Amino acid sequence: MSTTATVPRPTVRDDPYPSRRGEPPALLPRVDPVVHGPADAGPLTADQVAAFDEHGVVVLPDVFSPQEVANLDAALDDLVRAVDPTAPEVIQEPESEEIRSIFAFHERRGPLAEVVRDERLAGAARQLLASDVYVHQSRVNRKPGFRGKDFQWHSDFETWHTEDGMPAMRCLSATVALTDNEPWNGSLLVMPGSHRWFVTCPEPTPPANHERSLRKQEVGVPDEGSLTRLFEQHGIEQCTGRAGSVVLFDCNVMHGSSSNISPLPRRNLFLVFNSVENALEEPFSAPQRRPTHIASRTVTPV
Ligand code: 6CS
Ligand code: FE
């Protein structure tokens, strides 16, 4: 008879960021760096790198010229006119048929797709993530006047980890404002410094959650107690700026935005750059992978 001891297999993958497992909510410390290397060469200044490290967000005013913004906004108009509104990449507002988001614009042709290779964005991502980067997700959020609804508080990484299998916090978003982002048209709200905490969410991911969550997120939205604790520690700041400005924000910073009840739209491009060393695995807590137009599995450096 063999005396070899059998090592018990863990039933749950070893994971510093457990979420959606039916456990009570908790604030867990981040184990990954925010700035992943010396970050001394690149388009961002030392002050901008330090601000990103400390706050998990940095606003870069007037990165794109008015002419560049006009070209991008015209390309977006063309896309909205041409796109099949029933295509899976097109997400409608929860309470109207207005287009809320269009995913995977980087896989199309033309000026919108070109933005991916713009060194002002990709170069900043490489600088902060200290590696080559690829596009994990791209989308435009249109926030139409009167009808553009809110985005609940969330950490993007919580969704990308549980639903897409992103292993570590080595990923960031870059937004490009195509309209002025004002205090009153639903601009981004962040809790600066909250990126140092991972807030676990109790509720398991239901099947095909993305079919609801992209219109109105419910699973993966932290409980009110955890959000209150984060607010008491970190407060809330709003990221406003003229059309052409860029916001870089860490994958785990707590953020959201209010509905747009003003007459003016708030149109932003979002590009999510992930480190090529942080490619997606199997979902950490979801019954199936999400489609690749939401979570790309093509790890091609930009
Ligand atoms: O699902 C996603 O990938 C993104 N969208 C929402 C509404 N929340 C998480 C993440 O930002
Ligand atoms: Fe988000």
Side-chain angles (χ1 to χ4, degrees):
M1 204 168 80
S2 165
T3 55
T4 314
T6 49
V7 180
R9 285 177 171 279
T11 49
V12 179
R13 244 192 297 178
D14 192 22
D15 183 3
Y17 306 121
S19 192
R20 307 196 194 182
R21 294 186 185 174
E23 304 283 336
L27 267 64
L28 305 177
R30 177 186 185 124
V31 299
D32 297 305
V34 178
V35 176
H36 291 257
D40 42 13
L44 301 176
T45 65
D47 284 350
Q48 289 168 334
V49 172
F52 184 86
D53 196 24
E54 183 180 349
H55 305 302
V57 58
V58 62
V59 180
L60 313 175
D62 303 326
V63 173
F64 287 79
S65 71
Q67 188 58 56
E68 288 177 305
V69 172
N71 292 345
L72 290 170
D73 207 32
L76 175 56
D77 270 349
D78 293 344
L79 174 59
V80 169
R81 265 195 299 275
V83 83
D84 170 3
T86 65
E89 313 85 83
V90 180
I91 309 296
Q92 288 174 337
E93 288 291 344
E95 291 169 23
S96 69
E97 292 189 354
E98 286 273 0
I99 295 179
R100 175 174 173 86
S101 308
I102 302 175
F103 278 78
F105 65 75
H106 72 287
E107 289 175 359
R108 296 171 183 267
R109 262 181 251 252
L112 293 176
E114 295 299 310
V115 177
V116 170
R117 276 171 292 283
D118 195 300
E119 279 304 300
R120 293 168 288 185
L121 306 180
R126 272 186 233 108
Q127 184 181 1
L128 294 169
L129 303 178
S131 69
D132 275 334
V133 296
Y134 74 97
V135 177
H136 164 64
Q137 183 185 87
S138 71
R139 65 182 191 279
V140 46
N141 283 349
R142 289 175 71 244
K143 273 273 176 99
F146 300 117
R147 288 184 289 274
K149 293 297 176 202
D150 60 89
F151 287 81
Q152 286 298 319
W153 289 110
H154 64 280
S155 144
D156 295 324
F157 179 77
E158 196 278 340
T159 292
W160 299 337
H161 187 62
T162 55
E163 296 195 39
D164 300 333
M166 184 181 286
M169 295 181 187
R170 193 170 178 185
C171 180
L172 59 80
S173 292
T175 74
V176 180
L178 298 185
T179 64
D180 292 346
N181 279 226
E182 307 277 9
W184 37 259
N185 65 352
S187 294
L188 183 70
L189 300 170
V190 296
M191 296 193 190
S194 60
H195 60 313
R196 301 275 176 192
W197 298 102
F198 181 73
V199 186
T200 73
C201 301
E203 195 180 334
T205 313
N209 182 45
H210 64 275
E211 289 172 8
R212 288 181 295 277
S213 68
L214 302 176
R215 303 179 83 182
K216 184 179 194 311
Q217 187 176 359
E218 283 165 355
V219 180
V221 174
D223 66 290
E224 292 180 4
S226 301
L227 287 171
T228 305
R229 276 181 66 192
L230 279 185
F231 170 74
E232 285 166 356
Q233 281 186 49
H234 301 292
I236 295 175
E237 277 181 27
Q238 189 169 44
C239 301
T240 54
R242 271 195 296 271
S245 61
V246 166
V247 180
L248 300 177
F249 62 101
D250 175 77
C251 61
N252 186 50
V253 77
M254 193 57 64
H255 66 284
S257 62
S258 306
S259 294
N260 181 9
I261 60 169
S262 85
L264 299 186
R266 188 219 62 166
R267 283 193 290 275
N268 285 357
L269 302 179
F270 285 74
L271 283 171
V272 181
F273 294 105
N274 190 25
S275 166
V276 296
E277 291 164 31
N278 193 36
L280 302 188
E281 301 172 358
E282 291 310 311
F284 280 75
S285 195
Q288 70 253 106
R289 294 178 173 188
R290 296 199 297 178
T292 52
H293 66 269
I294 303 173
S296 173
R297 289 178 182 268
T298 309
V299 185
T300 308
V302 294

